[in-house]
Amino acid sequence: MERNPLRRQLQIMRKSLFDQGYLDEQFVQLEELQDDSNPNFVEEVVTLYYRDSARLILNLEQALERKPYNFNKLDAYMHQFKGSSSSIGAKKVKAESTLFREYCKSGNGEGCMRCFQQLKKEYATLRKKLEAYFQLARQAGPMETACRPK
Amino acid sequence: MSSASSSAAWKSADSVPDQFPAGLRVLVVDDDPTCLIILEKMLRTCSYEVTKCNRAETALAILRENKNGFDIVISDVHMPDMDGFKLLEHIGLEMDLPVIMMSADDGKHVVMKGVTHGACDYLIKPVRMEALKNIWQHVIRKRKNGWKDLEQSGSVEEGDRQQKQSEDAEYSSSANEGNWKSSKKRKDDEDETEDRDDTSTLKKPRVVWSVELHQQFVAAVNQLGIDKAVPKKILELMNVPGLTRENVASHLQKYRLYLRRLSGVSPHANNSFMNPQEETFGPLSSVSGLDLQALAAGGQLPAQCLATLQAAALGRSTAKSSIPMPLVDQRNIFSFENPKLRFGEGQQQLMNTNKPINLLHGIPTTMEPKQLTTSQSIGNINMQVASHGVQSSQNNSALINMQVASHGVQSSQNNSALINMQVASHSVQSNQNNSALMQMGQPQFARAPRLPLSVGQPIISNGIAASYNPVPQSSSMLNFPMNHASELPGNGFPLGSTPGMSGCTSKGTFQEDFNSEIKGSVGFMSSYDIFNNLNQHKPQNWELQNVGMTFDDSRHSNSLQGNLDLSQSVLVQQGFSSGRMSGQNRSAAVVSKAMFSAGDSTEPGNLLNVSQHLNSLPVDNTIRVKTESVADVNSDNLFIDHFGQEDLMSALLKQQQGIAPAENEFDFDGYSLDNIQV
């Protein structure tokens, strides 16, 4: 257990992210890639993800404004979004993406719209939580952030 | 693959250095920046050398610039500028590197698509480190397989051809050194033909004449005009990066042979192979009318065959060698399997395609690239196709089987051996042989039977000429359609047709038929190639092949007189065997038998069986099958001699002409023939 209160806090925060299902094992993979040569690797990747996925969210918004829905297009966008989200371990967001694609496949426009709203919420929530996490990590000390407990 | 350069560790196929797999050069392609950066980091952590790019076009450019700069490629499936599978195909064709696909999509059909397009692995996103750690195995595996192929094909490149067999030596001795890796169709049938550069012993990236590429080629040729189509201009029109003038030239050669075959234009001397016979190819496809499918396949095949042929032609050495080498194995596969395939499939197919070839001249269109794959179905010649590996088989099915072999290397080889008209297997050869075979249709064949037998293998080796020798008279006759007619005489394709041919009106028909047959034979050839390879070692194969052929002939032969049309042609090819025998078809069985006797007697059984099948097959179809049988026969004898060095075609040509084996002639390998759809 970490002596340093900040680090301990960090650990608790991290654990809760996993326990509450916001993050999955893939996030751990990212953490493992972080090393001395890339001390902020995870944060960098997540930042990149949010930047890129914002574009996809915008595309989806626009596509959902055009009726009738072009389900193929929606599905394609969501497929990309799902790929990115799963790469960083965004569990809930990924689940919503999968659901959205199901609705697309069955041509359920209503379902798509509802699902998309939920997805945006989860996406925003995760972003906030991760931002807080990284901020704390920077405060707690670079080496220990996002590292597996030794 | 030319792993050359870089990582020495990776180059040695068999030895694995200590730090292995460190230093593996990976190219990662993914439009998702998040995934890309993660993958890069993961791969770096595995001690690999990573290059990343987010566009498929960029990736291809990088690969082309740096032909030997990478060991493996990892690509996403869904990309905005190019479909991942398309990229996969391109890479396989042009650089022959192992490609791993990845996607968040784990649906079965997508994974299957990856498999069929030749991906060596499929990863589901999110990708984990563990999955990436072992990607080096694909590199090693591919290398090993490639070497084996090389060895088999007799390519001298790697130097350590353990498997090199004597046959290979024969074949590969000169002509095709290139890295002829038997590119099993990666996929699915198509596409994977490889064009081997002719650089001897240098592993050069093979150019695979995929259907698409071939179509581009054909479009360019048509635009320029058959007469004016020169490799340089074609290359310019095609505008395919990474394609060299040599690639185009060899492909063109094959194509020309193919056209000749189709049109039955007066056979140019063996040179014709090399001559731009574009037109001939066109008609050939029509010939395939036998089986439009076949044609389609053939058509496809042509593309592919051409590709193969090309590859064969270019690489020739490999093609040929490939055939012989595994001869034993291949043979078995082809001779035996094919017959089976053929019958089952071929029968159906035969029926379809048996259409009178005469018309086909213009028809090649039916052949669709897809068909290539079907060609296999046709079974008829499938055998042949197999010889070259991917390509031949394809062609074979659809077309007359014989043709399939046309791939150039394959077909020619096979063809010769089989005598089957095989078509073109060498394209060059096939023509010749085919003619001989074609003769079969003619009643003359009666004589033909003699030939093969007496000659047995030796004849076959000539491709067809060999066998025909005994019947020299007919041989010249028959070949007509193929233009080769002139060639035949040299070869003496005894097919027997000649004797009859002259007298027969069928001759005229044959012409057409021949074209078609030639096509068919081409198909055979291809099969023959396979067989040749096989035969090389085992004459028997040849017999089998013939068998297939003969049957058709028998059927047709009866109608020969009347039917000279395709069936005949087909028969001819196949009929060779049969033609020989009974002159028209009947002897198919006989021929095959004869063949067997000529060849190894061991196989006779096979042939006979084959023939039996053939007989049962609808007349039309028979032809298809035949090709295969022919290949079996003596092909060893016949072809082996020639092929060793050059393509079968040349070998055949030589035979026919009595010239020393002309190596160059067979460059056509791929085209042999007929199937090539123009």
PDB file of all heavy atoms in Angstrom, chain B residues 260 264-268 431-432 435 439 475-491 493 498 501 511 514 518 656:
ATOM      1  N   ARG B 260      -3.383 -16.613 -79.728  1.00  0.00           N
ATOM      2  CA  ARG B 260      -3.186 -17.403 -80.923  1.00  0.00           C
ATOM      3  C   ARG B 260      -3.945 -18.661 -80.803  1.00  0.00           C
ATOM      4  O   ARG B 260      -4.537 -19.154 -81.730  1.00  0.00           O
ATOM      5  CB  ARG B 260      -1.707 -17.709 -81.051  1.00  0.00           C
ATOM      6  CG  ARG B 260      -1.075 -16.634 -81.827  1.00  0.00           C
ATOM      7  CD  ARG B 260       0.199 -17.033 -82.387  1.00  0.00           C
ATOM      8  NE  ARG B 260       0.367 -18.430 -82.446  1.00  0.00           N
ATOM      9  CZ  ARG B 260       1.492 -18.970 -82.789  1.00  0.00           C
ATOM     10  NH1 ARG B 260       2.470 -18.204 -83.124  1.00  0.00           N
ATOM     11  NH2 ARG B 260       1.633 -20.243 -82.825  1.00  0.00           N
ATOM     12  N   GLY B 264      -6.657 -19.628 -83.305  1.00  0.00           N
ATOM     13  CA  GLY B 264      -6.230 -20.691 -84.197  1.00  0.00           C
ATOM     14  C   GLY B 264      -5.462 -20.098 -85.346  1.00  0.00           C
ATOM     15  O   GLY B 264      -5.375 -20.644 -86.436  1.00  0.00           O
ATOM     16  N   VAL B 265      -4.929 -18.993 -85.092  1.00  0.00           N
ATOM     17  CA  VAL B 265      -4.182 -18.368 -86.173  1.00  0.00           C
ATOM     18  C   VAL B 265      -3.068 -19.268 -86.564  1.00  0.00           C
ATOM     19  O   VAL B 265      -2.622 -20.076 -85.791  1.00  0.00           O
ATOM     20  CB  VAL B 265      -3.579 -17.048 -85.657  1.00  0.00           C
ATOM     21  CG1 VAL B 265      -2.737 -16.414 -86.706  1.00  0.00           C
ATOM     22  CG2 VAL B 265      -4.729 -16.157 -85.255  1.00  0.00           C
ATOM     23  N   SER B 266      -2.640 -19.074 -87.682  1.00  0.00           N
ATOM     24  CA  SER B 266      -1.578 -19.951 -88.137  1.00  0.00           C
ATOM     25  C   SER B 266      -0.502 -19.913 -87.092  1.00  0.00           C
ATOM     26  O   SER B 266      -0.077 -18.867 -86.647  1.00  0.00           O
ATOM     27  CB  SER B 266      -1.014 -19.402 -89.425  1.00  0.00           C
ATOM     28  OG  SER B 266      -0.581 -18.088 -89.189  1.00  0.00           O
ATOM     29  N   PRO B 267      -0.129 -20.994 -86.767  1.00  0.00           N
ATOM     30  CA  PRO B 267       0.816 -21.057 -85.686  1.00  0.00           C
ATOM     31  C   PRO B 267       2.107 -20.408 -86.094  1.00  0.00           C
ATOM     32  O   PRO B 267       2.634 -20.652 -87.144  1.00  0.00           O
ATOM     33  CB  PRO B 267       1.024 -22.531 -85.497  1.00  0.00           C
ATOM     34  CG  PRO B 267       0.451 -23.157 -86.694  1.00  0.00           C
ATOM     35  CD  PRO B 267      -0.473 -22.213 -87.348  1.00  0.00           C
ATOM     36  N   HIS B 268       2.498 -19.666 -85.218  1.00  0.00           N
ATOM     37  CA  HIS B 268       3.784 -19.068 -85.529  1.00  0.00           C
ATOM     38  C   HIS B 268       4.727 -20.081 -85.066  1.00  0.00           C
ATOM     39  O   HIS B 268       4.418 -20.910 -84.288  1.00  0.00           O
ATOM     40  CB  HIS B 268       4.019 -17.843 -84.658  1.00  0.00           C
ATOM     41  CG  HIS B 268       3.061 -16.813 -84.999  1.00  0.00           C
ATOM     42  ND1 HIS B 268       3.316 -15.902 -85.956  1.00  0.00           N
ATOM     43  CD2 HIS B 268       1.860 -16.558 -84.507  1.00  0.00           C
ATOM     44  CE1 HIS B 268       2.296 -15.107 -86.013  1.00  0.00           C
ATOM     45  NE2 HIS B 268       1.398 -15.473 -85.140  1.00  0.00           N
ATOM     46  N   ASN B 431       0.096 -24.742 -77.286  1.00  0.00           N
ATOM     47  CA  ASN B 431      -0.409 -24.591 -78.628  1.00  0.00           C
ATOM     48  C   ASN B 431       0.048 -25.750 -79.424  1.00  0.00           C
ATOM     49  O   ASN B 431      -0.667 -26.356 -80.165  1.00  0.00           O
ATOM     50  CB  ASN B 431       0.163 -23.330 -79.249  1.00  0.00           C
ATOM     51  CG  ASN B 431      -0.400 -22.154 -78.504  1.00  0.00           C
ATOM     52  OD1 ASN B 431      -1.480 -22.278 -78.003  1.00  0.00           O
ATOM     53  ND2 ASN B 431       0.332 -21.097 -78.428  1.00  0.00           N
ATOM     54  N   GLN B 432       1.185 -25.946 -79.218  1.00  0.00           N
ATOM     55  CA  GLN B 432       1.691 -26.971 -80.048  1.00  0.00           C
ATOM     56  C   GLN B 432       1.116 -28.273 -79.679  1.00  0.00           C
ATOM     57  O   GLN B 432       0.626 -29.016 -80.478  1.00  0.00           O
ATOM     58  CB  GLN B 432       3.156 -27.038 -79.798  1.00  0.00           C
ATOM     59  CG  GLN B 432       3.618 -25.652 -79.913  1.00  0.00           C
ATOM     60  CD  GLN B 432       4.901 -25.648 -80.526  1.00  0.00           C
ATOM     61  OE1 GLN B 432       5.560 -26.655 -80.504  1.00  0.00           O
ATOM     62  NE2 GLN B 432       5.233 -24.564 -81.107  1.00  0.00           N
ATOM     63  N   SER B 435      -2.262 -28.733 -80.496  1.00  0.00           N
ATOM     64  CA  SER B 435      -2.608 -29.095 -81.846  1.00  0.00           C
ATOM     65  C   SER B 435      -2.532 -30.573 -81.945  1.00  0.00           C
ATOM     66  O   SER B 435      -3.363 -31.226 -82.507  1.00  0.00           O
ATOM     67  CB  SER B 435      -1.639 -28.515 -82.831  1.00  0.00           C
ATOM     68  OG  SER B 435      -0.855 -27.570 -82.221  1.00  0.00           O
ATOM     69  N   GLN B 439      -5.829 -32.914 -82.571  1.00  0.00           N
ATOM     70  CA  GLN B 439      -5.988 -33.894 -83.595  1.00  0.00           C
ATOM     71  C   GLN B 439      -6.826 -35.009 -83.107  1.00  0.00           C
ATOM     72  O   GLN B 439      -7.484 -35.691 -83.818  1.00  0.00           O
ATOM     73  CB  GLN B 439      -4.636 -34.439 -83.887  1.00  0.00           C
ATOM     74  CG  GLN B 439      -3.743 -33.274 -84.056  1.00  0.00           C
ATOM     75  CD  GLN B 439      -3.048 -33.418 -85.285  1.00  0.00           C
ATOM     76  OE1 GLN B 439      -2.918 -34.516 -85.757  1.00  0.00           O
ATOM     77  NE2 GLN B 439      -2.629 -32.362 -85.845  1.00  0.00           N
ATOM     78  N   SER B 475      -0.160 -35.087 -86.455  1.00  0.00           N
ATOM     79  CA  SER B 475       0.113 -33.984 -85.576  1.00  0.00           C
ATOM     80  C   SER B 475       0.081 -32.683 -86.296  1.00  0.00           C
ATOM     81  O   SER B 475      -0.483 -31.727 -85.861  1.00  0.00           O
ATOM     82  CB  SER B 475       1.459 -34.151 -84.923  1.00  0.00           C
ATOM     83  OG  SER B 475       2.319 -34.754 -85.830  1.00  0.00           O
ATOM     84  N   SER B 476       0.662 -32.674 -87.294  1.00  0.00           N
ATOM     85  CA  SER B 476       0.685 -31.367 -87.911  1.00  0.00           C
ATOM     86  C   SER B 476      -0.719 -30.942 -88.233  1.00  0.00           C
ATOM     87  O   SER B 476      -1.074 -29.804 -88.155  1.00  0.00           O
ATOM     88  CB  SER B 476       1.510 -31.406 -89.180  1.00  0.00           C
ATOM     89  OG  SER B 476       1.297 -32.643 -89.808  1.00  0.00           O
ATOM     90  N   MET B 477      -1.423 -31.911 -88.545  1.00  0.00           N
ATOM     91  CA  MET B 477      -2.724 -31.523 -88.947  1.00  0.00           C
ATOM     92  C   MET B 477      -3.503 -30.936 -87.846  1.00  0.00           C
ATOM     93  O   MET B 477      -4.092 -29.920 -87.935  1.00  0.00           O
ATOM     94  CB  MET B 477      -3.452 -32.749 -89.378  1.00  0.00           C
ATOM     95  CG  MET B 477      -2.558 -33.601 -90.116  1.00  0.00           C
ATOM     96  SD  MET B 477      -2.786 -33.336 -91.769  1.00  0.00           S
ATOM     97  CE  MET B 477      -4.271 -34.021 -92.045  1.00  0.00           C
ATOM     98  N   LEU B 478      -3.475 -31.606 -86.880  1.00  0.00           N
ATOM     99  CA  LEU B 478      -4.377 -31.167 -85.866  1.00  0.00           C
ATOM    100  C   LEU B 478      -4.070 -29.840 -85.324  1.00  0.00           C
ATOM    101  O   LEU B 478      -4.905 -29.066 -85.008  1.00  0.00           O
ATOM    102  CB  LEU B 478      -4.310 -32.138 -84.728  1.00  0.00           C
ATOM    103  CG  LEU B 478      -4.894 -33.404 -85.168  1.00  0.00           C
ATOM    104  CD1 LEU B 478      -4.810 -34.370 -84.066  1.00  0.00           C
ATOM    105  CD2 LEU B 478      -6.300 -33.161 -85.541  1.00  0.00           C
ATOM    106  N   ASN B 479      -2.988 -29.677 -85.183  1.00  0.00           N
ATOM    107  CA  ASN B 479      -2.697 -28.471 -84.470  1.00  0.00           C
ATOM    108  C   ASN B 479      -3.279 -27.281 -85.086  1.00  0.00           C
ATOM    109  O   ASN B 479      -3.169 -26.205 -84.623  1.00  0.00           O
ATOM    110  CB  ASN B 479      -1.209 -28.303 -84.417  1.00  0.00           C
ATOM    111  CG  ASN B 479      -0.702 -29.404 -83.592  1.00  0.00           C
ATOM    112  OD1 ASN B 479      -1.299 -29.682 -82.600  1.00  0.00           O
ATOM    113  ND2 ASN B 479       0.333 -30.022 -83.999  1.00  0.00           N
ATOM    114  N   PHE B 480      -3.813 -27.496 -86.083  1.00  0.00           N
ATOM    115  CA  PHE B 480      -4.205 -26.319 -86.722  1.00  0.00           C
ATOM    116  C   PHE B 480      -4.810 -25.283 -85.949  1.00  0.00           C
ATOM    117  O   PHE B 480      -4.401 -24.200 -85.935  1.00  0.00           O
ATOM    118  CB  PHE B 480      -5.254 -26.590 -87.699  1.00  0.00           C
ATOM    119  CG  PHE B 480      -4.911 -27.667 -88.367  1.00  0.00           C
ATOM    120  CD1 PHE B 480      -5.668 -28.743 -88.387  1.00  0.00           C
ATOM    121  CD2 PHE B 480      -3.733 -27.666 -88.964  1.00  0.00           C
ATOM    122  CE1 PHE B 480      -5.289 -29.778 -89.040  1.00  0.00           C
ATOM    123  CE2 PHE B 480      -3.379 -28.731 -89.600  1.00  0.00           C
ATOM    124  CZ  PHE B 480      -4.157 -29.763 -89.647  1.00  0.00           C
ATOM    125  N   PRO B 481      -5.792 -25.552 -85.448  1.00  0.00           N
ATOM    126  CA  PRO B 481      -6.516 -24.421 -84.988  1.00  0.00           C
ATOM    127  C   PRO B 481      -5.583 -23.559 -84.256  1.00  0.00           C
ATOM    128  O   PRO B 481      -5.636 -22.377 -84.249  1.00  0.00           O
ATOM    129  CB  PRO B 481      -7.490 -24.982 -84.036  1.00  0.00           C
ATOM    130  CG  PRO B 481      -7.560 -26.367 -84.382  1.00  0.00           C
ATOM    131  CD  PRO B 481      -6.333 -26.741 -85.115  1.00  0.00           C
ATOM    132  N   MET B 482      -4.816 -24.231 -83.739  1.00  0.00           N
ATOM    133  CA  MET B 482      -4.000 -23.462 -82.925  1.00  0.00           C
ATOM    134  C   MET B 482      -3.014 -22.689 -83.625  1.00  0.00           C
ATOM    135  O   MET B 482      -2.217 -22.104 -83.145  1.00  0.00           O
ATOM    136  CB  MET B 482      -3.259 -24.370 -82.058  1.00  0.00           C
ATOM    137  CG  MET B 482      -4.199 -25.110 -81.357  1.00  0.00           C
ATOM    138  SD  MET B 482      -4.399 -24.652 -79.842  1.00  0.00           S
ATOM    139  CE  MET B 482      -2.983 -24.383 -79.342  1.00  0.00           C
ATOM    140  N   ASN B 483      -3.039 -22.710 -84.726  1.00  0.00           N
ATOM    141  CA  ASN B 483      -1.990 -21.996 -85.381  1.00  0.00           C
ATOM    142  C   ASN B 483      -0.807 -22.830 -85.246  1.00  0.00           C
ATOM    143  O   ASN B 483       0.123 -22.756 -86.000  1.00  0.00           O
ATOM    144  CB  ASN B 483      -1.596 -20.725 -84.668  1.00  0.00           C
ATOM    145  CG  ASN B 483      -2.741 -19.864 -84.598  1.00  0.00           C
ATOM    146  OD1 ASN B 483      -3.408 -19.762 -85.581  1.00  0.00           O
ATOM    147  ND2 ASN B 483      -2.954 -19.243 -83.531  1.00  0.00           N
ATOM    148  N   HIS B 484      -0.908 -23.531 -84.369  1.00  0.00           N
ATOM    149  CA  HIS B 484       0.278 -24.303 -84.152  1.00  0.00           C
ATOM    150  C   HIS B 484       0.386 -25.319 -85.189  1.00  0.00           C
ATOM    151  O   HIS B 484       1.363 -25.971 -85.350  1.00  0.00           O
ATOM    152  CB  HIS B 484       0.177 -25.035 -82.848  1.00  0.00           C
ATOM    153  CG  HIS B 484       0.061 -24.024 -81.820  1.00  0.00           C
ATOM    154  ND1 HIS B 484       1.061 -23.162 -81.555  1.00  0.00           N
ATOM    155  CD2 HIS B 484      -0.942 -23.696 -81.023  1.00  0.00           C
ATOM    156  CE1 HIS B 484       0.664 -22.374 -80.622  1.00  0.00           C
ATOM    157  NE2 HIS B 484      -0.531 -22.667 -80.256  1.00  0.00           N
ATOM    158  N   ALA B 485      -0.609 -25.414 -85.775  1.00  0.00           N
ATOM    159  CA  ALA B 485      -0.598 -26.486 -86.746  1.00  0.00           C
ATOM    160  C   ALA B 485       0.767 -26.543 -87.350  1.00  0.00           C
ATOM    161  O   ALA B 485       1.360 -27.573 -87.509  1.00  0.00           O
ATOM    162  CB  ALA B 485      -1.603 -26.214 -87.827  1.00  0.00           C
ATOM    163  N   SER B 486       1.190 -25.469 -87.658  1.00  0.00           N
ATOM    164  CA  SER B 486       2.509 -25.522 -88.260  1.00  0.00           C
ATOM    165  C   SER B 486       3.468 -26.064 -87.263  1.00  0.00           C
ATOM    166  O   SER B 486       4.388 -26.758 -87.567  1.00  0.00           O
ATOM    167  CB  SER B 486       2.942 -24.123 -88.657  1.00  0.00           C
ATOM    168  OG  SER B 486       2.813 -23.288 -87.529  1.00  0.00           O
ATOM    169  N   GLU B 487       3.153 -25.793 -86.146  1.00  0.00           N
ATOM    170  CA  GLU B 487       4.093 -26.232 -85.156  1.00  0.00           C
ATOM    171  C   GLU B 487       4.043 -27.701 -85.001  1.00  0.00           C
ATOM    172  O   GLU B 487       5.009 -28.361 -84.766  1.00  0.00           O
ATOM    173  CB  GLU B 487       3.737 -25.589 -83.850  1.00  0.00           C
ATOM    174  CG  GLU B 487       3.895 -24.134 -84.031  1.00  0.00           C
ATOM    175  CD  GLU B 487       3.436 -23.428 -82.813  1.00  0.00           C
ATOM    176  OE1 GLU B 487       2.495 -23.907 -82.183  1.00  0.00           O
ATOM    177  OE2 GLU B 487       4.047 -22.427 -82.545  1.00  0.00           O
ATOM    178  N   LEU B 488       2.955 -28.100 -85.129  1.00  0.00           N
ATOM    179  CA  LEU B 488       2.829 -29.505 -84.875  1.00  0.00           C
ATOM    180  C   LEU B 488       3.729 -30.328 -85.727  1.00  0.00           C
ATOM    181  O   LEU B 488       4.404 -31.208 -85.266  1.00  0.00           O
ATOM    182  CB  LEU B 488       1.411 -29.934 -85.125  1.00  0.00           C
ATOM    183  CG  LEU B 488       0.533 -29.424 -84.020  1.00  0.00           C
ATOM    184  CD1 LEU B 488      -0.859 -29.803 -84.339  1.00  0.00           C
ATOM    185  CD2 LEU B 488       0.988 -30.023 -82.732  1.00  0.00           C
ATOM    186  N   PRO B 489       3.647 -30.066 -86.849  1.00  0.00           N
ATOM    187  CA  PRO B 489       4.417 -30.957 -87.702  1.00  0.00           C
ATOM    188  C   PRO B 489       5.788 -31.140 -87.115  1.00  0.00           C
ATOM    189  O   PRO B 489       6.327 -32.217 -87.076  1.00  0.00           O
ATOM    190  CB  PRO B 489       4.505 -30.215 -89.027  1.00  0.00           C
ATOM    191  CG  PRO B 489       3.398 -29.251 -88.991  1.00  0.00           C
ATOM    192  CD  PRO B 489       3.049 -29.002 -87.565  1.00  0.00           C
ATOM    193  N   GLY B 490       6.219 -30.151 -86.670  1.00  0.00           N
ATOM    194  CA  GLY B 490       7.544 -30.270 -86.099  1.00  0.00           C
ATOM    195  C   GLY B 490       7.477 -31.242 -84.959  1.00  0.00           C
ATOM    196  O   GLY B 490       8.266 -32.137 -84.799  1.00  0.00           O
ATOM    197  N   ASN B 491       6.504 -31.024 -84.247  1.00  0.00           N
ATOM    198  CA  ASN B 491       6.441 -31.858 -83.073  1.00  0.00           C
ATOM    199  C   ASN B 491       5.977 -33.210 -83.417  1.00  0.00           C
ATOM    200  O   ASN B 491       6.160 -34.142 -82.702  1.00  0.00           O
ATOM    201  CB  ASN B 491       5.433 -31.265 -82.110  1.00  0.00           C
ATOM    202  CG  ASN B 491       5.902 -29.892 -81.793  1.00  0.00           C
ATOM    203  OD1 ASN B 491       7.048 -29.736 -81.516  1.00  0.00           O
ATOM    204  ND2 ASN B 491       5.026 -28.933 -81.880  1.00  0.00           N
ATOM    205  N   PHE B 493       2.951 -34.006 -83.503  1.00  0.00           N
ATOM    206  CA  PHE B 493       1.945 -34.377 -82.570  1.00  0.00           C
ATOM    207  C   PHE B 493       1.178 -35.429 -83.188  1.00  0.00           C
ATOM    208  O   PHE B 493       0.352 -35.212 -84.000  1.00  0.00           O
ATOM    209  CB  PHE B 493       0.957 -33.256 -82.368  1.00  0.00           C
ATOM    210  CG  PHE B 493       1.547 -32.250 -81.545  1.00  0.00           C
ATOM    211  CD1 PHE B 493       2.060 -31.126 -82.119  1.00  0.00           C
ATOM    212  CD2 PHE B 493       1.631 -32.434 -80.222  1.00  0.00           C
ATOM    213  CE1 PHE B 493       2.588 -30.196 -81.351  1.00  0.00           C
ATOM    214  CE2 PHE B 493       2.195 -31.484 -79.468  1.00  0.00           C
ATOM    215  CZ  PHE B 493       2.650 -30.383 -80.027  1.00  0.00           C
ATOM    216  N   THR B 498      -3.742 -35.562 -87.006  1.00  0.00           N
ATOM    217  CA  THR B 498      -3.251 -35.150 -88.302  1.00  0.00           C
ATOM    218  C   THR B 498      -3.664 -36.064 -89.401  1.00  0.00           C
ATOM    219  O   THR B 498      -4.110 -35.652 -90.429  1.00  0.00           O
ATOM    220  CB  THR B 498      -1.730 -35.077 -88.289  1.00  0.00           C
ATOM    221  OG1 THR B 498      -1.263 -36.288 -87.738  1.00  0.00           O
ATOM    222  CG2 THR B 498      -1.326 -33.925 -87.406  1.00  0.00           C
ATOM    223  N   MET B 501      -6.955 -35.475 -89.946  1.00  0.00           N
ATOM    224  CA  MET B 501      -7.267 -34.090 -90.094  1.00  0.00           C
ATOM    225  C   MET B 501      -7.260 -33.664 -91.502  1.00  0.00           C
ATOM    226  O   MET B 501      -8.110 -32.998 -91.996  1.00  0.00           O
ATOM    227  CB  MET B 501      -6.210 -33.279 -89.381  1.00  0.00           C
ATOM    228  CG  MET B 501      -6.192 -33.653 -87.969  1.00  0.00           C
ATOM    229  SD  MET B 501      -7.287 -32.675 -87.100  1.00  0.00           S
ATOM    230  CE  MET B 501      -6.625 -31.123 -87.444  1.00  0.00           C
ATOM    231  N   GLN B 511     -10.205 -26.133 -86.534  1.00  0.00           N
ATOM    232  CA  GLN B 511      -9.534 -24.867 -86.392  1.00  0.00           C
ATOM    233  C   GLN B 511     -10.206 -24.127 -85.309  1.00  0.00           C
ATOM    234  O   GLN B 511      -9.621 -23.652 -84.382  1.00  0.00           O
ATOM    235  CB  GLN B 511      -9.687 -24.081 -87.681  1.00  0.00           C
ATOM    236  CG  GLN B 511      -9.063 -24.737 -88.820  1.00  0.00           C
ATOM    237  CD  GLN B 511      -7.610 -24.393 -88.885  1.00  0.00           C
ATOM    238  OE1 GLN B 511      -7.179 -23.478 -88.251  1.00  0.00           O
ATOM    239  NE2 GLN B 511      -6.864 -25.155 -89.656  1.00  0.00           N
ATOM    240  N   PHE B 514     -10.005 -26.006 -82.418  1.00  0.00           N
ATOM    241  CA  PHE B 514      -8.708 -26.000 -81.802  1.00  0.00           C
ATOM    242  C   PHE B 514      -8.548 -24.805 -80.976  1.00  0.00           C
ATOM    243  O   PHE B 514      -8.036 -24.830 -79.899  1.00  0.00           O
ATOM    244  CB  PHE B 514      -7.631 -25.972 -82.864  1.00  0.00           C
ATOM    245  CG  PHE B 514      -7.374 -27.322 -83.351  1.00  0.00           C
ATOM    246  CD1 PHE B 514      -7.646 -27.632 -84.644  1.00  0.00           C
ATOM    247  CD2 PHE B 514      -6.897 -28.255 -82.501  1.00  0.00           C
ATOM    248  CE1 PHE B 514      -7.424 -28.888 -85.116  1.00  0.00           C
ATOM    249  CE2 PHE B 514      -6.690 -29.519 -82.966  1.00  0.00           C
ATOM    250  CZ  PHE B 514      -6.947 -29.846 -84.268  1.00  0.00           C
ATOM    251  N   ILE B 518      -7.712 -25.549 -78.100  1.00  0.00           N
ATOM    252  CA  ILE B 518      -6.420 -25.155 -77.648  1.00  0.00           C
ATOM    253  C   ILE B 518      -6.610 -24.537 -76.331  1.00  0.00           C
ATOM    254  O   ILE B 518      -5.863 -24.697 -75.421  1.00  0.00           O
ATOM    255  CB  ILE B 518      -5.865 -24.129 -78.590  1.00  0.00           C
ATOM    256  CG1 ILE B 518      -5.774 -24.781 -79.920  1.00  0.00           C
ATOM    257  CG2 ILE B 518      -4.579 -23.654 -78.058  1.00  0.00           C
ATOM    258  CD1 ILE B 518      -4.859 -24.158 -80.801  1.00  0.00           C
ATOM    259  N   GLN B 656       8.555 -29.992 -81.252  1.00  0.00           N
ATOM    260  CA  GLN B 656       7.833 -29.989 -82.479  1.00  0.00           C
ATOM    261  C   GLN B 656       8.719 -29.611 -83.593  1.00  0.00           C
ATOM    262  O   GLN B 656       8.670 -30.119 -84.679  1.00  0.00           O
ATOM    263  CB  GLN B 656       6.732 -28.995 -82.369  1.00  0.00           C
ATOM    264  CG  GLN B 656       5.953 -29.432 -81.189  1.00  0.00           C
ATOM    265  CD  GLN B 656       4.759 -28.623 -81.091  1.00  0.00           C
ATOM    266  OE1 GLN B 656       4.661 -27.655 -81.796  1.00  0.00           O
ATOM    267  NE2 GLN B 656       3.875 -29.031 -80.248  1.00  0.00           N
TER     268      GLN B 656
END
